Each structure stands twice: as C-alpha cells, then as structure tokens.
Amino acid sequence: MSDRTSEATQQDNARTLRVVVADDQAAVREPLAAVLGLAADIDVVAAAADGTEVLTAAAAGPVDVVLMDLRMPVMDGIETTRRLAEEHPEVAVVVLTTFADDDSILAALSAGARGYLTKNAGRQDITRAIRAAAAGQSVLDREVQDRLLATVRTKAPAPGQQLPDDVTPREREVLTLIGQGLPNRAIAEKLFISEATVKTHINNLFAKAAIRDRADAVRRAIAAGLA
C-alpha cells in the first residue's frame, strides 16, 4: 500500500477535526483555509483575523484545533493561546508563524501551544501537526526544535538533578528522547511501541516529576544528564 493510499485510509477512519485558521492577513488566511479544507478529516469551521475572533469561534464551538498566527492586532496569538488554555482547554493550538526566535517559541509553548511550525511548512506538515495536536501530541518543526534545545541548554540547571525514584526506566528513555527534540511518533518508532503508549508514559512521567510541558521536559532531561 502506498503512503498516499495509507494516509487516505487513515483519514477515512478518523473523525472530522474542526479547525479555526487565525491570521490577520486575508491573503494567507483564506488560501490556507481552502487548502486545509481539502483534507477528508478536516473541516475549517472559521477563519479569524485576530484573537477575539478566535475566542468567539471557540465559544460558539465545537472547535478541536486552532492554527494560530502570533502577530495579530487586537489580541495576539500568545494571549489568545493563553485565554484558550484557560477558557477552552479542550481546544488545541498549533502555531504557524514566520517568527522562530527564542522568545516567541518559549512564550507560545508556555502559553499552552501543542505545536509550533514556521510558514515554510508544507500542507502535509501542517495537517500532520493538526492531527497530532488533536490527539494530545506535540509537533515542532526541526528549526524550532533546534532553537528550543539550544535555549533550554543555556538556561537549564546544573546537571545531576535527580528524577523521582518512581520514574521507571522506560519513562527515563522517553524523557531522554524528548530531550533530543523527538516528537511522539519518532519516540514510538525508536522504542518499538505505539504512539498511544508513548503518550501514556509521558503523562505518567509529567505527573511523577511535576513537569509542566514539553519545554520543561527538555530542561529536566538536560538537568538530569539525559540529553
């Protein structure tokens, strides 16, 4: 079976994801919404020009994922992501922006974004990130992963910080791979387990070690000498 046939079969079996596209430029927003709408499992339910329109769409719901630009008038993408995390935690955010600087990346992830892509990403990368975010997974493009790793290494505490005793060897392996910047799918492939099992290990690890988010996990991996 070809990759294209396999992807089509997966889409047929998947539920329809309700997506909001947020970008202040109509020349970006409208074509992007049209292209995403071609995917069998994606329904673009709204196109928003600023954060207030995103929140209105989320309140009207249901919405599964917001594809979020960062630089928007009235309410920017960071504040909108933070508001969504507080008011509509069931809505996942994937950032799609031209900005890949350290401050933007860390601010977006800290606000609650599950994915971060630059506008160099192709349609398949974007749809893959939307599906991953809807499933509770994180997707960062390679440039963003590299910058995030470089940033947290400069800010991480000294190596040797211990993890709780009840963290299992498998959870340590998962944390090591997170520290290397790998997304859940790549971790599953390396450990020969399913993505669902990876997600379970991550949830357990985060609870045991009081890890807040993916960026915090990278910091902890470095601090524990695992990355």
Side-chain angles (χ1 to χ4, degrees), residues 92-209:
V93 172
V94 174
V95 171
L96 181 65
T97 181
T98 56
F99 300 94
D101 58 282
D102 298 346
D103 290 343
S104 295
I105 294 168
L106 292 175
L109 296 178
S110 296
R114 289 187 189 164
Y116 198 112
L117 304 176
T118 66
K119 288 184 177 176
N120 292 326
R123 181 183 66 84
Q124 289 187 336
D125 294 326
I126 296 170
T127 54
R128 188 179 301 118
I130 288 172
R131 294 173 188 131
Q137 302 166 7
S138 298
V139 175
L140 308 176
D141 74 16
R142 176 55 58 185
E143 179 185 358
V144 171
Q145 287 182 18
D146 291 345
R147 291 190 69 91
L148 179 60
L149 286 170
T151 299
V152 297
R153 283 195 170 98
T154 63
K155 296 182 178 180
Q161 180 177 325
Q162 297 301 310
L163 295 169
D165 292 338
D166 58 347
V167 171
T168 68
R170 178 61 92 186
E171 289 163 359
R172 285 177 176 271
E173 286 182 295
V174 170
L175 182 59
T176 298
L177 296 175
I178 291 175
Q180 295 173 6
L182 271 63
N184 289 3
R185 175 178 294 182
I187 293 173
E189 292 173 353
K190 278 190 169 291
L191 298 182
F192 302 102
I193 56 179
S194 70
E195 286 189 63
T197 300
V198 171
K199 184 178 177 182
T200 297
H201 286 315
I202 290 174
N203 289 340
N204 292 339
L205 171 66
F206 280 26
K208 291 176 182 178

Side-chain angles (χ1 to χ4, degrees), residues 8-15:
T9 301
Q10 291 174 1
Q11 291 177 5
D12 289 342
N13 294 332
R15 67 183 178 90

